[in-house]
Amino acid sequence: AQSVTQPDIHITVSEGASLELRCNYSYGATPYLFWYVQSPGQGLQLLLKYFSGDTLVQGIKGFEAEFKRSQSSFNLRKPSVHWSDAAEYFCAVARSRGSNYKLTFGKGTLLTVNP
Amino acid sequence: ETGVTQSPTHLIKTRGQQVTLRCSSQSGHNTVSWYQQALGQGPQFIFQYYREEENGRGNFPPRFSGLQFPNYSSELNVNALELDDSALYLCASSSSGTDEKLFFGSGTQLSVL
């Protein structure tokens, strides 16, 4: 069965600083990988996804993620964090693509942004 | 705004009771999935419905059941509630006509006392 590990439960950065959130996955075949963001009291919003092709994917709100098969990682990055980025971030993996995919999520990383 | 609406937003129940949560999918979406998000955890897949048929189930007991209606709205039913059922329940809809994207609702916060 697939699994996702987000090693950092809570990260604090200063506004304007760079950000990297770590994600490691365990899955035998080609993974389909996602990053979601959840603001308090809200549902999940898709930031970006990786299915195949270029291992560096661009998402919304200035986020990007890099798929590294050799490290089983899919880390999320942003060059300059804004106060509005404070939220919880979830990495997820799916066994198949298409509208019927079922996601396995990590436990999340809570991001705090200091002014 | 995703177009996926869930009701109610908050609910308090007593152990042993039954609960029904509702989800209205985004227009044109024929697939709905339900996830349970316990406090401090990531969402866990409960089950998925595609064109009114169950299409996959996670590691949840049979007292978690669901329905999808012809208009693609959906219900999640939980019988014999336990304290550990307290969680945020998220509904997500999708369609093969989209770019393979799940649209999540804001969830129903269930508290079991």
Side-chain angles (χ1 to χ4, degrees):
Chain A
Q2 67 264 36
S3 65
V4 177
T5 301
Q6 294 181 247
D8 304 305
I9 296 173
H10 188 192
I11 284 182
T12 300
V13 300
S14 298
E15 190 169 16
S18 63
L19 172 70
E20 183 169 26
L21 301 182
R22 296 183 291 164
C23 172
N24 293 99
Y25 67 89
S26 172
Y27 183 56
T30 301
Y32 301 101
L33 297 160
F34 307 78
W35 275 99
Y36 283 85
V37 61
Q38 186 177 36
S39 298
Q42 300 296 313
L44 297 162
Q45 182 182 22
L46 178 67
L47 289 174
L48 47 79
K49 62 181 186 284
Y50 171 77
F51 287 167
S52 63
D54 193 347
T55 57
L56 184 63
V57 293
Q58 302 296 320
I60 63 171
K61 304 185 179 185
F63 286 93
E64 66 177 26
E66 187 171 11
F67 170 60
K68 292 185 178 180
R69 185 185 297 275
S70 61
Q71 298 177 18
S72 298
S73 70
F74 188 56
N75 294 349
L76 181 72
R77 300 194 294 248
K78 187 169 184 177
S80 178
V81 170
H82 188 262
W83 64 266
S84 61
D85 293 325
E88 187 145 29
Y89 291 79
F90 293 94
C91 181
V93 64
R95 286 184 292 179
S96 60
R97 65 183 298 175
S99 60
N100 295 335
Y101 54 74
K102 296 93 173 173
L103 296 170
T104 298
F105 286 88
K107 292 187 176 182
T109 297
L110 180 64
L111 175 64
T112 298
V113 181
N114 287 335
Chain B
E1 186 66 37
T2 66
V4 178
T5 57
Q6 294 187 242
S7 62
T9 54
H10 295 84
L11 198 54
I12 299 175
K13 289 287 188 178
T14 303
R15 190 173 54 181
Q17 286 188 313
Q18 178 267 343
V19 69
T20 297
L21 310 182
R22 294 179 174 82
C23 173
S24 176
S25 301
Q26 184 162 340
S27 178
H29 286 187
N30 55 18
T31 302
V32 64
S33 303
W34 286 91
Y35 289 81
Q36 180 197 66
Q37 186 177 14
L39 189 64
Q41 303 292 316
Q44 278 195 289
F45 175 72
I46 303 175
F47 44 56
Q48 182 182 86
Y49 280 81
Y50 173 65
R51 294 184 175 177
E52 303 177 57
E53 298 286 332
E54 188 177 289
N55 180 42
R57 188 179 183 91
N59 188 27
F60 281 82
R63 59 189 185 83
F64 285 78
S65 62
L67 282 173
Q68 187 182 30
F69 300 100
N71 66 355
Y72 300 134
S73 64
S74 176
E75 287 181 355
L76 163 65
N77 298 288
V78 187
N79 293 323
L81 283 167
E82 301 178 0
L83 299 179
D84 286 349
D85 296 332
S86 295
L88 179 68
Y89 289 84
L90 295 166
C91 164
S93 73
S94 58
S95 169
S96 57
T98 68
D99 62 347
E100 303 170 353
K101 185 176 177 179
L102 288 181
F103 293 82
F104 281 86
S106 297
T108 293
Q109 184 66 53
L110 172 65
S111 298
V112 182
L113 306 179

